[in-house]
Amino acid sequence: MDAPQGSPKNQKPVPFLVGIGASAGGLEALEEFFRHAKEDAGVSYIVVQHLSPDFESLMDQLLARTTKLPIKLIENEQTVDANTIYLLPPKKEVILSEGKLLLTDRPKGRELSYPIDNFFRSLAQDIGPAAIAVVLSGTGSDGSRGIVDIHEAGGFVLVQSEASARFDGMPRSACDTGIVDAILSASEMPEAIERYMQSSIGLGRQADLLDPQRTKGPTFAILNLLKKCYEIDFSHYKTNTISRRIERRVLLSGSENISAYAKRQRTDDDDLDSLYRDLLIGVTGFFRDSEVFQ
C-alpha cells in the first residue's frame, strides 16, 4: 500500500498531525472518514485502533477500498509524511517523540492498556497546538484522558456523534470531559479539520496580536473584558498558554481574525464564558504541573 518513492505530494512539511482513536465499530467510521478526506490536505493520519492480538489485521486492505491515500503500517522510528495514513500493527502501541513514531510491545495478559490515551498524550507533548485528536466508535473510555492533554496543549479535539457511532462508549466518555471542540459524524470530520488548519495558518500571521503582554490591541481588550466580568487578570499567567487558548477560541468561533473576535466578545456572553472556562483549564493545569504543588 506504500506510495511510490519520491512522490512529490508526500514531500511537503506536515504542519498538523491527526491522531485517530477507534475500537469496536471503528472500521465503518474510518471508512466514512477517509472516504471524505482529500488526497492533498497536507496532513498525516495516525490510526490507533484496539486490535485483537490473535488475528492478522486487514485494515490496510479494507481502507484502500475507500481512499487513494497511501496506507502504511507503522515501523519503529519512522518519520511522518504528509497525505499518508499510518496504521498501528497488531500487538503494538505507539507514541510520537521528536517527530518520529516509536513502537512498543502491547502489555500482555490482563493488564489494562490505553493505547489511544498514550498516543494522544505524546502528540500533545511533541507538537502541542498542531495536534488534532479524533475519537471514533468504540466501547470503554480510551482516548478520554488523552484528549484533555491535547486540549491543554492548544490542540483540536473532534468526537464522533453518539447517534452516528455503532458503539458510543468512547465518544460518550470523551464528551463527558467537557473539552470537546466539535461533535460530528465521521464523514463531516475531514472538512472540519481542513477549515481548522486553514484558519490556524491564517491566524499565525497575526501572532503579535495574540501576545497577552501587549498593552493595547485586541488581546488586551479581551483580557480587560474578562477581568471586568470575572475579576481575574489572566495577563499575569503563562503567556504561551493564554495565547493558545485565545487562538483556539478565535478559530472555533469562526471569526475572521483576532480583532473581529475581540469585537464579538463585547456582545456574546456565551462565547466570553466559553473563553473564560477554557482559560481556567490552562491556568489550573499550570498550577497542577508547578513544582510548588508536587
Side-chain angles (χ1 to χ4, degrees):
M1 304 305 304
D2 293 357
Q5 294 295 321
S7 176
K9 69 177 181 179
N10 287 333
Q11 300 306 312
K12 64 177 70 174
V14 184
F16 296 89
L17 198 153
V18 180
I20 304 177
S23 184
L27 174 59
E28 179 181 333
L30 286 166
E31 288 178 327
E32 279 300 301
F33 181 98
F34 287 115
R35 185 175 287 116
H36 291 83
K38 293 183 179 180
E39 297 175 44
D40 58 353
V43 64
S44 298
Y45 307 94
I46 314 298
V47 179
V48 180
Q49 188 179 22
H50 292 172
L51 300 169
S52 169
D54 302 319
F55 299 95
E56 181 180 356
S57 174
L58 299 176
M59 180 68 68
D60 55 346
Q61 299 175 40
L62 296 173
L63 287 183
R65 302 180 305 182
T66 63
T67 180
K68 294 182 180 179
L69 286 165
I71 302 172
K72 300 180 179 181
L73 282 181
I74 298 171
E75 298 178 358
N76 193 38
E77 298 190 2
Q78 186 169 39
T79 56
V80 181
D81 292 328
N83 304 314
T84 304
I85 302 169
Y86 294 89
L87 302 180
L88 182 65
K91 302 181 182 180
K92 297 290 184 180
E93 293 191 6
V94 65
I95 63 169
L96 183 75
S97 179
E98 297 182 352
K100 293 183 178 181
L101 297 172
L102 306 181
L103 290 175
T104 58
D105 292 331
R106 176 179 170 183
K108 297 180 180 179
R110 296 182 178 275
E111 184 179 349
L112 288 177
S113 176
Y114 297 97
I116 300 170
D117 279 330
N118 292 337
F119 182 66
F120 284 171
R121 283 169 172 159
S122 75
L123 274 188
Q125 293 171 6
D126 208 54
I127 59 176
I132 299 173
V134 172
V135 177
L136 298 177
S137 173
T139 58
S141 63
D142 197 10
S144 61
R145 289 156 290 269
I147 62 172
V148 174
D149 288 64
I150 285 184
H151 178 84
E152 291 183 353
F156 189 46
V157 178
L158 294 169
V159 173
Q160 186 175 5
S161 62
E162 294 180 37
S164 68
R166 179 175 292 187
F167 294 90
D168 64 5
M170 280 173 41
R172 186 173 63 252
S173 294
C175 290
D176 285 346
T177 64
I179 54 85
V180 173
D181 294 313
I183 302 171
L184 303 167
S185 68
S187 62
E188 295 172 312
M189 290 179 173
E191 182 180 355
I193 290 170
E194 186 175 2
R195 288 199 306 269
Y196 177 79
M197 290 169 56
Q198 291 173 346
S199 299
S200 183
I201 292 170
L203 191 61
R205 301 190 185 103
Q206 311 173 62
D208 59 324
L209 299 180
L210 286 161
D211 185 357
Q213 302 303 319
R214 288 171 63 97
T215 56
K216 60 180 181 179
T219 297
F220 180 76
I222 292 170
L223 295 182
N224 265 355
L225 186 59
L226 288 166
K227 182 179 180 180
K228 178 181 177 181
C229 294
Y230 298 98
E231 299 183 348
I232 295 181
D233 188 354
F234 287 103
S235 65
H236 295 311
Y237 295 103
K238 198 173 181 180
T239 298
N240 288 342
T241 298
I242 300 303
S243 297
R244 286 201 303 265
R245 293 279 178 253
I246 295 176
E247 180 180 6
R248 288 182 68 261
R249 295 312 312 176
V250 175
L251 298 175
L252 296 174
S253 71
S255 300
E256 183 178 353
N257 51 46
I258 179 65
S259 297
Y261 180 73
K263 185 179 295 184
R264 171 177 177 166
Q265 297 308 296
R266 301 172 193 166
T267 57
D268 193 332
D269 293 340
D270 290 340
D271 202 63
L272 183 66
D273 188 65
S274 294
L275 173 61
Y276 167 69
R277 295 177 183 277
D278 218 0
L279 288 171
L280 276 186
I281 292 175
V283 169
T284 54
F286 168 75
F287 284 126
R288 185 177 61 248
D289 295 337
S290 174
E291 291 183 359
V292 175
F293 293 84
Q294 295 298 314

CSV table of all heavy atoms in Angstrom, one decimal, residues 79-101:
chain,number,residue,atom,x,y,z
A,79,THR,N,9.6,8.4,10.4
A,79,THR,CA,9.2,9.8,10.3
A,79,THR,C,7.9,9.8,9.6
A,79,THR,O,7.5,8.9,8.9
A,79,THR,CB,10.3,10.6,9.5
A,79,THR,OG1,10.5,10.0,8.3
A,79,THR,CG2,11.6,10.7,10.3
A,80,VAL,N,7.2,10.9,9.7
A,80,VAL,CA,5.8,11.1,9.2
A,80,VAL,C,5.8,11.9,8.0
A,80,VAL,O,6.3,13.0,7.9
A,80,VAL,CB,4.9,11.6,10.3
A,80,VAL,CG1,3.5,11.7,9.8
A,80,VAL,CG2,5.0,10.8,11.6
A,81,ASP,N,5.1,11.4,6.9
A,81,ASP,CA,4.9,12.1,5.7
A,81,ASP,C,3.5,12.7,5.6
A,81,ASP,O,2.6,12.1,6.2
A,81,ASP,CB,5.1,11.2,4.5
A,81,ASP,CG,6.6,10.8,4.3
A,81,ASP,OD1,7.5,11.5,4.7
A,81,ASP,OD2,6.8,9.6,3.8
A,82,ALA,N,3.3,13.8,4.9
A,82,ALA,CA,2.0,14.3,4.6
A,82,ALA,C,1.2,13.4,3.7
A,82,ALA,O,1.7,12.6,3.0
A,82,ALA,CB,2.1,15.7,4.0
A,83,ASN,N,-0.1,13.6,3.8
A,83,ASN,CA,-1.1,12.9,2.9
A,83,ASN,C,-0.9,11.4,3.0
A,83,ASN,O,-0.9,10.7,1.9
A,83,ASN,CB,-0.9,13.4,1.5
A,83,ASN,CG,-1.1,14.9,1.4
A,83,ASN,OD1,-2.0,15.5,2.0
A,83,ASN,ND2,-0.2,15.6,0.7
A,84,THR,N,-0.7,10.9,4.2
A,84,THR,CA,-0.4,9.4,4.3
A,84,THR,C,-1.2,9.0,5.6
A,84,THR,O,-1.3,9.7,6.6
A,84,THR,CB,1.1,9.2,4.5
A,84,THR,OG1,1.8,9.7,3.4
A,84,THR,CG2,1.4,7.7,4.6
A,85,ILE,N,-1.7,7.7,5.5
A,85,ILE,CA,-2.3,7.1,6.6
A,85,ILE,C,-1.4,6.1,7.2
A,85,ILE,O,-0.8,5.2,6.5
A,85,ILE,CB,-3.6,6.3,6.2
A,85,ILE,CG1,-4.6,7.3,5.5
A,85,ILE,CG2,-4.3,5.6,7.4
A,85,ILE,CD1,-5.8,6.6,4.8
A,86,TYR,N,-1.2,6.1,8.5
A,86,TYR,CA,-0.3,5.2,9.3
A,86,TYR,C,-1.2,4.3,10.2
A,86,TYR,O,-2.0,4.9,11.0
A,86,TYR,CB,0.7,5.9,10.1
A,86,TYR,CG,1.7,6.6,9.2
A,86,TYR,CD1,1.5,8.0,8.8
A,86,TYR,CD2,2.9,6.0,8.8
A,86,TYR,CE1,2.4,8.6,8.0
A,86,TYR,CE2,3.8,6.7,7.9
A,86,TYR,CZ,3.6,8.0,7.6
A,86,TYR,OH,4.4,8.7,6.7
A,87,LEU,N,-1.0,3.0,10.1
A,87,LEU,CA,-1.8,2.1,10.9
A,87,LEU,C,-1.0,1.4,12.0
A,87,LEU,O,0.2,1.0,11.7
A,87,LEU,CB,-2.5,1.0,10.0
A,87,LEU,CG,-3.4,1.5,8.9
A,87,LEU,CD1,-3.9,0.3,8.1
A,87,LEU,CD2,-4.5,2.4,9.4
A,88,LEU,N,-1.5,1.2,13.1
A,88,LEU,CA,-0.8,0.5,14.2
A,88,LEU,C,-0.8,-1.0,14.0
A,88,LEU,O,-1.8,-1.6,13.8
A,88,LEU,CB,-1.5,0.8,15.5
A,88,LEU,CG,-0.9,0.2,16.8
A,88,LEU,CD1,0.5,0.9,17.1
A,88,LEU,CD2,-1.8,0.4,18.0
A,89,PRO,N,0.4,-1.6,14.0
A,89,PRO,CA,0.4,-3.1,13.8
A,89,PRO,C,-0.2,-3.8,15.0
A,89,PRO,O,-0.2,-3.2,16.1
A,89,PRO,CB,2.0,-3.3,13.7
A,89,PRO,CG,2.6,-2.0,13.5
A,89,PRO,CD,1.7,-1.0,14.1
A,90,PRO,N,-0.7,-5.0,14.8
A,90,PRO,CA,-1.2,-5.8,16.0
A,90,PRO,C,-0.1,-6.0,17.0
A,90,PRO,O,1.1,-6.0,16.7
A,90,PRO,CB,-1.6,-7.1,15.3
A,90,PRO,CG,-1.8,-6.8,13.9
A,90,PRO,CD,-0.8,-5.7,13.6
A,91,LYS,N,-0.5,-6.1,18.3
A,91,LYS,CA,0.3,-6.3,19.5
A,91,LYS,C,1.3,-5.2,19.8
A,91,LYS,O,2.3,-5.4,20.5
A,91,LYS,CB,1.1,-7.6,19.3
A,91,LYS,CG,0.2,-8.9,19.1
A,91,LYS,CD,1.1,-10.1,18.9
A,91,LYS,CE,0.3,-11.3,18.6
A,91,LYS,NZ,1.1,-12.6,18.5
A,92,LYS,N,1.0,-4.0,19.2
A,92,LYS,CA,1.9,-2.9,19.4
A,92,LYS,C,1.2,-1.6,19.9
A,92,LYS,O,0.0,-1.5,19.8
A,92,LYS,CB,2.6,-2.5,18.1
A,92,LYS,CG,3.6,-3.6,17.5
A,92,LYS,CD,4.8,-3.8,18.4
A,92,LYS,CE,5.7,-4.8,17.8
A,92,LYS,NZ,7.0,-5.0,18.6
A,93,GLU,N,1.9,-0.7,20.6
A,93,GLU,CA,1.5,0.6,20.9
A,93,GLU,C,2.4,1.6,20.3
A,93,GLU,O,3.6,1.2,20.0
A,93,GLU,CB,1.3,0.8,22.4
A,93,GLU,CG,0.2,-0.1,23.0
A,93,GLU,CD,-0.1,0.3,24.5
A,93,GLU,OE1,0.5,1.3,25.0
A,93,GLU,OE2,-0.8,-0.5,25.1
A,94,VAL,N,2.0,2.8,20.2
A,94,VAL,CA,2.8,3.8,19.5
A,94,VAL,C,2.8,5.2,20.2
A,94,VAL,O,1.7,5.5,20.8
A,94,VAL,CB,2.4,4.0,18.0
A,94,VAL,CG1,1.0,4.6,17.9
A,94,VAL,CG2,3.4,4.8,17.3
A,95,ILE,N,3.9,5.9,20.2
A,95,ILE,CA,3.9,7.3,20.6
A,95,ILE,C,4.6,8.1,19.6
A,95,ILE,O,5.4,7.5,18.8
A,95,ILE,CB,4.5,7.5,22.0
A,95,ILE,CG1,6.0,7.1,22.0
A,95,ILE,CG2,3.8,6.7,23.1
A,95,ILE,CD1,6.8,7.5,23.2
A,96,LEU,N,4.5,9.4,19.6
A,96,LEU,CA,5.3,10.3,18.8
A,96,LEU,C,6.3,11.0,19.7
A,96,LEU,O,6.0,11.6,20.7
A,96,LEU,CB,4.4,11.4,18.1
A,96,LEU,CG,5.1,12.3,17.2
A,96,LEU,CD1,5.4,11.6,15.9
A,96,LEU,CD2,4.2,13.6,16.9
A,97,SER,N,7.6,11.0,19.3
A,97,SER,CA,8.6,11.6,20.0
A,97,SER,C,9.6,12.2,19.1
A,97,SER,O,10.2,11.5,18.2
A,97,SER,CB,9.3,10.6,20.9
A,97,SER,OG,10.4,11.2,21.6
A,98,GLU,N,9.8,13.5,19.2
A,98,GLU,CA,10.7,14.3,18.3
A,98,GLU,C,10.4,14.0,16.8
A,98,GLU,O,11.3,13.9,16.0
A,98,GLU,CB,12.2,14.0,18.7
A,98,GLU,CG,12.5,14.4,20.1
A,98,GLU,CD,14.0,14.1,20.4
A,98,GLU,OE1,14.7,13.5,19.6
A,98,GLU,OE2,14.4,14.5,21.5
A,99,GLY,N,9.1,14.0,16.5
A,99,GLY,CA,8.7,13.8,15.1
A,99,GLY,C,8.8,12.4,14.6
A,99,GLY,O,8.5,12.2,13.4
A,100,LYS,N,9.1,11.4,15.4
A,100,LYS,CA,9.2,10.0,15.0
A,100,LYS,C,8.2,9.2,15.7
A,100,LYS,O,7.9,9.4,16.9
A,100,LYS,CB,10.6,9.5,15.2
A,100,LYS,CG,11.7,10.1,14.3
A,100,LYS,CD,13.0,9.5,14.6
A,100,LYS,CE,14.1,10.1,13.7
A,100,LYS,NZ,15.4,9.4,13.9
A,101,LEU,N,7.7,8.1,15.0
A,101,LEU,CA,6.8,7.2,15.6
A,101,LEU,C,7.6,6.1,16.3
A,101,LEU,O,8.4,5.4,15.6
A,101,LEU,CB,5.8,6.6,14.6
A,101,LEU,CG,4.9,7.7,13.9
A,101,LEU,CD1,4.2,7.0,12.7
A,101,LEU,CD2,3.9,8.3,14.9
